[in-house]
Amino acid sequence: MWVPELVSNEELSSKPSRSKTQGDQMQYVITAKDLTKTYGDVTAVDGISFSVPAGEAFGLLGPNGAGKSTTMKMIGGVSQRTSGSLSIMGLDPESHGPEVRAHLGVVPQQDNLDEELKVRDNLLVYGRYFGLPMSYLRPKADELLEFAQLTDKAKSKVDALSGGMKRRLTIARSLINEPRILLLDEPTTGLDPQARHILWDRLFRLKEQGVTLILTTHYMDEAEQLCDRLIVVDKGRIMAEGSPASLIREYSTREVLELRFGSERNATIGAELEGIGERLETLPDRVLIYAHDGEAALEQVSARGLRPVTSLVRRSSLEDVFLRLTGRSLVD
Amino acid sequence: MTDQSAPAVSDAGGRGPAAPALLRAHSPAVSAARARRWGSFYYAEQVLRVMKGYGWTIVMYGVGQPVAYLFAMGVGLATLVDSQAAFGGVSYLAFIAPALLISAAVMTAANEFTFPVMDGFKWRRVYYGPHASPLTPEQIASGHIMAVTLRFLLQSAIYFVVVALFGASPSGWGWVSVLVATLAGLSFGLPLMAYAASIKEDKGQFAMVMRFIVTPLFLFSGTFFPLDSLPLAVQWIGWISPIWHGTELGRVFSYGYEEPPLLTIAHIVFLVGLAVAGWMLTKRQFVRRLGQ
């Protein structure tokens, strides 16, 4: 078996002989400093810095066009940065492209399976790109098909699979080389809720096995479910960084009261709601009142004689964090 | 779907620890080293697997088409035109056999280096899968080319056997024309591949290539009659045509067609030069486009 050259944090801290500085220093599988990518006049990624320790599920959350996919391509060693530094498993993808890519499993935003090949052959062929022998690939392909719940589709053509199945096959394919780092670019975009939950479950299992997950998403629930830590990205820059819970604590209140007064009144009602909750956000279709106690806020609204068409009290989410940070919602 | 299959998977997970003990991928360092050395072959393997899906078409194209042409032209038309003096002292069949061999390779090139390239970059984005693996863009391009080269060889060999059975390859060196056909396929195909790799939007360019480049080259490259029987105004089509250079070379090998040795060298230099230039351009285009 390949033994990762990285030492886990627990191991480090359990060895008193190591110097304190080493103990403090996390073992990062990915380190980016001032990472920048420009296409002509357009700056897609504008000097972002982050580090990811081994085994973490790290997310890049942001709207379409925020620079998430570009960042992923640079981490994936397929797109060269314009400036800044980047290290994956201690290697620079610019000079060691094949070595970096050999460490990774990649699930791209758009499926690029070999539609003309059968499901199982897709896995075999992909494994060959890593120089893996057939004696390893045949049983491994069967194991991964089982993991992806596609065993009974092994001999089908890829065309015959549903969107969710294709996605799972793409994930199975990305695992053929037993990567310790998995890059997932918008893994569940375009899937129905049930298919998403199956996929999340598979990703959880990988996380339990200690695989480092790097994922981009514009779904806040996905980020909350899967990520230990995330960066909120907008226009190529990092707006905030932290665990989902800490970001919500820092940038939002505990609860949110959502009120709809009809599209005409939403815009003008703000003044009448002044003073309720900690913060007020007016959106085209609804008004959000940020408060520690949503129910209490709703009572205050009623006490002022205001009658919203609908009202909803909910927990704060990353969507609210994003709204607070950028003044826009995640999914346009 | 999920309800039935989910428990099966967790069962598999339960007995998991024992089973995968034997199943370990080699280290990333080994993957990278192997890919650096053999990557082109790995990708060629993939293309061949896909080709296997239409293997029957390839064989039919290799056998059926030349047999049809040989019968129609070499046997049928020959009864009208068979004045051996006009064709360097050989039968009309022997005269056109190398030309049909070369043309078939060039037409295959016009298919294999156009639509599949578009498929790789745009339609089904098949190049982007291997691109995320340790393979490099150059290796993806060269793997594609290697697989198609193998198809040229196979198809031309089948064709040559058919031609030999017709008795239309009197020289003992006729088999060399299989290599000539492969070279001609590459010299026409690689510049075309570079062009295909540069296309972002399909506006029927490949149909135009077939109609306005491949077909005229096929007709005016000394294929069915010697090039010098054409007026000078159109002879130049032959001079810039890989089909003409390949055909003349094929004739030298298959029936000892006599031409100045310098001209024979010029044919080889022209074909090799075009193939190399096409390969350089293709490589640059692949690196540029995949690396974005």
Side-chain angles (χ1 to χ4, degrees), chain B residues 25 53 61 91 116 130 142 173 182 224 228 244 248:
Chain B
Y61 198 81
S91 69
S142 57
W173 290 97
T182 304
F224 299 108
D228 53 21
W244 181 67
E248 294 291 281

Side-chain angles (χ1 to χ4, degrees), chain B residues 254-280:
Chain B
S254 62
Y255 62 84
Y257 168 67
E258 280 181 35
E259 62 172 10
L262 262 179
L263 196 54
T264 305
I265 293 169
H267 294 321
I268 298 174
V269 169
F270 179 87
L271 292 175
V272 171
L274 209 53
V276 170
W279 160 235
M280 307 288 271

Side-chain angles (χ1 to χ4, degrees), chain B residues 207-268:
Chain B
M208 301 290 271
V209 167
M210 283 306 269
R211 246 165 255 163
F212 297 108
I213 298 180
V214 179
T215 306
L217 289 188
F218 176 52
L219 294 174
F220 302 112
S221 291
T223 326
F224 299 108
F225 40 83
L227 189 64
D228 53 21
S229 59
L230 279 175
L232 264 176
V234 277
Q235 269 193 35
W236 62 271
I237 299 180
W239 301 335
I240 58 160
S241 163
I243 298 183
W244 181 67
H245 291 280
T247 298
E248 294 291 281
L249 211 49
R251 284 177 179 146
V252 169
F253 290 110
S254 62
Y255 62 84
Y257 168 67
E258 280 181 35
E259 62 172 10
L262 262 179
L263 196 54
T264 305
I265 293 169
H267 294 321
I268 298 174

Side-chain angles (χ1 to χ4, degrees), chain A residues 1-2 37 39 73 76-80 95-104 106 110-117 121 124-126 128-137 139-141 143 146-147 149 157 159 162 165 168 173 176-178 194 198 202 205, chain B residues 1-3 5-13 15 19-20 22-36 39 42-47 49-51 53-54 119 122-137 139 290-292:
Chain A
M1 182 209 168
W2 167 63
K37 175 82 182 182
Y39 295 104
K73 282 190 201 162
V78 294
S79 177
Q80 301 306 346
S95 55
H96 292 83
E99 286 74 17
V100 164
R101 295 195 294 275
H103 275 98
L104 307 174
V106 179
Q110 271 177 286
D111 288 320
N112 51 33
L113 297 158
D114 272 310
E115 307 243 350
E116 282 163 275
L117 296 180
D121 290 343
L124 300 179
V125 159
Y126 209 79
R128 293 294 295 144
Y129 300 155
F130 293 81
L132 292 161
M134 277 298 173
S135 58
Y136 161 83
L137 287 173
K140 185 69 186 179
E143 188 188 303
E146 195 140 332
F147 175 77
Q149 293 167 272
K157 289 234 172 174
D159 310 7
S162 70
M165 289 175 177
R168 295 202 310 266
R173 189 182 73 171
I176 196 78
N177 57 323
E178 298 190 326
Q194 193 199 16
I198 299 173
R202 300 294 102 176
R205 282 166 201 247
Chain B
M1 164 194 87
T2 44
D3 288 342
S5 48
V9 171
S10 45
D11 285 354
R15 60 175 161 73
L22 298 166
L23 210 59
R24 290 292 173 207
H26 53 228
S27 77
V30 175
S31 290
R34 288 196 183 171
R36 273 191 189 272
Y42 295 152
Y43 192 67
E45 198 180 313
Q46 187 273 351
V47 181
R49 266 177 195 269
V50 173
M51 273 188 197
Y54 57 98
D119 206 24
K122 184 160 171 89
W123 293 329
R124 286 181 291 190
R125 304 167 56 84
V126 288
Y127 288 149
Y128 289 88
H131 183 44
S133 82
L135 304 190
T136 63
Q139 288 174 329
L290 286 173
Q292 263 177 4

Side-chain angles (χ1 to χ4, degrees), chain B residues 142-225:
Chain B
S142 57
H144 187 136
I145 294 166
M146 281 162 68
V148 176
T149 303
L150 209 65
R151 176 176 170 182
F152 288 152
L153 283 171
L154 175 75
Q155 172 187 314
S156 305
I158 295 173
Y159 179 95
F160 175 71
V161 170
V162 175
V163 166
L165 289 176
F166 272 80
S169 181
S171 154
W173 290 97
W175 57 272
V176 180
S177 56
V178 170
L179 304 181
V180 174
T182 304
L183 176 60
L186 292 172
S187 88
F188 178 78
L190 296 186
L192 184 59
M193 188 185 192
Y195 170 64
S198 74
I199 296 179
K200 300 253 160 72
E201 213 65 55
D202 175 31
K203 297 180 194 130
Q205 293 97 325
F206 299 145
M208 301 290 271
V209 167
M210 283 306 269
R211 246 165 255 163
F212 297 108
I213 298 180
V214 179
T215 306
L217 289 188
F218 176 52
L219 294 174
F220 302 112
S221 291
T223 326
F224 299 108
F225 40 83

